[in-house]
Amino acid sequence: MSFKTLLPGNPSVHSGQQTTLGVMGGGQLGRMFVQAAQAMGYFTVVLDPDPASPAGLVSHHHIKTAYDDEQGLAQLMQRCDAITTEFENVPAHALLTLAAQRPVAPSAACVAVAQDRVKEKAHFEHCAPISGVAPAPHAVITTDASLKAVPADLLPGILKTARMGYDGKGQVRVSTREELAAAWDDLDKVPCVLEKLLQLRAECSVIVARGADGQVVSFPVQKNTHHDGILALTEVFDGALDPTLAQRAQASTVAIANHLQYVGVLCVEYFVVQNADGALDLVVNEMAPRPHNSGHYTQNACHLSQFEAQVRALAGLPLPTPRQHSPAIMVNLLGDLWFAPNAVRAQASRTPVSPPWGAVLALPGTHLHLYGKLGARPGRKMGHLNITGASVAQVRETTAQVLALLGLPALGA
């Protein structure tokens, strides 16, 4: 289906209600998309099997079926004027079904690339002559023969499953051929990609929004810190990353989006590595066909959030160039905080205890975003905290106080 401009508040030609936007997936990204769409005047529909899904709890309608349920998809099409997704593991064939009747962004083809590391690496390699940024040296392992053919110079490396890997899951570090063979066996010999272990100096990401008319706008480059494979903290301000590398990362992301003829919000993650001559360089790691955890700071530090950009791209509205008005740091809030001790709480039992939000919110420039999840558990993403201020020094000082209150590692740790 071709894209048309869908203005908020107009009667829907399909449902008889106001213009309605749908989202496949009911997690926190869907919730924040729904909230942005509703703030602009759109009706919303969520398709997610979980009756307590964060997005379903705040949407006008919640279709509680599996993502490939025919009746659920039919209901979604009946109610919606256009449809997006909030995570990349929605079945691509379900998006194809929807796209036969309604505009869908991103497309099933784009999502299918992000679902499979083998396809993703091939796409990055194809874009490298244009983008100027290549993926890490790697090999695809699908058979015993391809395992034996792995070049020796890819070790030590990281073995990653081709599908369903996120937040560090489905990844194993290996140093020898014996470890590689054992790791692939432990992963049930599913298709994998072995990436050469590089001299990592930093991690960053870029979020772009691209309309159906080909217009692309880019958010500032985000410097990311991960703990145990999960994003812990994002810093976005002048000087957080070398400006030449930042410009290259933005240009590369635009090239990747254009080559896919992408529509929607796309995040591409990069490694900053040190070459043999000591110079810093960029390596493209992976992409997410949706808003991204590292872009949450845009809600409070930019005049346009990544979620409003997602709404605009889906609805065919203009995409103004994002402008960051405040230095910002985003702190990811995992369920561990509800169980772990910190500076203001006694030793926690296995009963969740709410973190000291009162003390945190007493600090200037703190913006709390909780996702409405009904139960905290270790490793579960429960929310995030954006810290903004008039200067980088002020933001870093407030962040240091926040991290101390929550018992989290200090900046730079």
Side-chain angles (χ1 to χ4, degrees):
M1 291 289 292
S2 61
F3 283 80
K4 298 179 180 178
T5 300
L6 301 171
L7 297 176
N10 283 357
S12 169
V13 298
H14 304 295
S15 66
Q17 299 177 335
Q18 293 186 22
T19 306
T20 302
L21 304 180
V23 56
M24 293 280 278
Q28 63 266 19
L29 298 177
R31 179 187 179 94
M32 288 180 275
F33 166 82
V34 163
Q35 291 169 333
Q38 291 176 348
M40 295 176 69
Y42 292 99
F43 274 42
T44 58
V45 181
V46 169
L47 190 151
D48 188 284
D50 181 2
S53 71
L57 292 174
V58 300
S59 184
H60 291 92
H61 302 285
H62 180 189
I63 300 170
K64 306 177 186 69
T65 67
Y67 299 117
D68 56 358
D69 181 83
E70 291 184 3
Q71 291 186 353
L73 295 176
Q75 288 184 56
L76 189 63
M77 286 187 286
Q78 183 180 16
R79 290 182 179 275
C80 293
D81 297 283
I83 300 163
T84 188
T85 179
E86 66 117 29
F87 73 117
E88 56 265 44
N89 288 322
V90 167
H93 65 83
L95 296 178
L96 275 175
T97 298
L98 295 170
Q101 299 294 328
R102 299 288 182 270
V104 173
S107 69
C110 292
V111 173
V113 171
Q115 288 177 344
D116 189 317
R117 290 188 194 278
V118 176
K119 294 179 180 179
E120 188 178 59
K121 297 293 185 191
H123 174 65
F124 290 156
E125 286 185 319
H126 193 80
C127 289
I130 303 170
S131 69
V133 182
H138 63 279
V140 176
I141 300 174
T142 56
T143 64
D144 289 331
S146 59
L147 176 68
K148 292 178 181 178
V150 167
D153 63 359
L154 291 184
L155 293 168
I158 303 177
L159 185 67
K160 300 180 179 181
T161 57
R163 300 181 68 86
M164 302 302 288
Y166 62 95
D167 289 343
K169 297 177 175 64
Q171 301 186 17
V172 184
R173 288 198 176 198
V174 294
S175 298
T176 65
R177 288 191 177 277
E178 291 74 21
E179 289 182 0
L180 173 61
W184 192 47
D185 190 60
D186 288 342
L187 293 172
D188 297 325
K189 293 190 174 183
V190 298
C192 287
V193 173
L194 176 68
E195 295 180 11
K196 182 178 178 64
L197 194 63
L198 302 174
Q199 294 295 317
L200 184 63
R201 290 293 175 261
E203 298 179 63
C204 65
S205 58
V206 178
I207 291 170
V208 298
R210 186 178 186 275
D213 60 356
Q215 180 193 10
V216 189
V217 296
S218 176
F219 286 88
V221 178
Q222 299 122 198
K223 181 182 178 183
N224 302 322
T225 299
H226 290 79
H227 293 153
D228 299 324
I230 300 176
L231 182 66
L233 187 138
T234 295
E235 300 168 84
V236 194
F237 44 77
D238 289 342
L241 198 70
D242 176 88
T244 300
L245 293 177
Q247 290 173 7
R248 287 183 60 202
Q250 284 184 309
S252 170
T253 307
V254 171
I256 289 168
N258 280 334
H259 189 266
L260 284 169
Q261 295 188 313
Y262 193 89
V263 178
V265 168
L266 175 73
C267 178
V268 180
E269 297 181 73
Y270 298 87
F271 294 142
V272 178
V273 299
Q274 187 168 18
N275 293 332
D277 61 2
L280 295 180
D281 201 359
L282 278 180
V283 169
V284 58
N285 177 35
E286 61 186 23
M287 68 181 194
R290 51 170 172 77
H292 193 261
N293 204 163
S294 63
H296 290 340
Y297 76 97
T298 61
Q299 292 171 301
N300 300 107
C302 298
H303 81 288
L304 174 74
S305 77
Q306 63 172 342
F307 301 103
E308 183 177 337
Q310 185 184 19
V311 174
R312 284 172 173 260
L314 180 64
L317 298 177
L319 288 169
T321 300
R323 180 178 60 83
Q324 184 178 358
H325 53 70
S326 303
I329 294 177
M330 186 280 299
V331 178
N332 210 11
L333 304 174
L334 301 182
D336 307 64
L337 291 175
W338 277 252
F339 298 94
N342 59 44
V344 298
R345 286 187 290 164
Q347 179 69 33
S349 66
R350 297 314 298 168
T351 301
V353 177
S354 182
W357 300 133
V360 168
L361 293 174
L363 298 172
T366 54
H367 312 272
L368 181 62
H369 300 263
L370 295 180
Y371 303 149
K373 295 183 179 179
L374 301 183
R377 61 175 182 266
R380 191 180 197 193
K381 294 177 182 177
M382 299 298 294
H384 64 271
L385 187 78
N386 291 330
I387 299 117
T388 60
S391 67
V392 174
Q394 181 184 10
V395 169
R396 290 180 63 85
E397 180 182 352
T398 301
T399 301
Q401 296 177 64
V402 166
L403 297 176
L405 284 169
L406 296 178
L408 294 172
L411 278 169

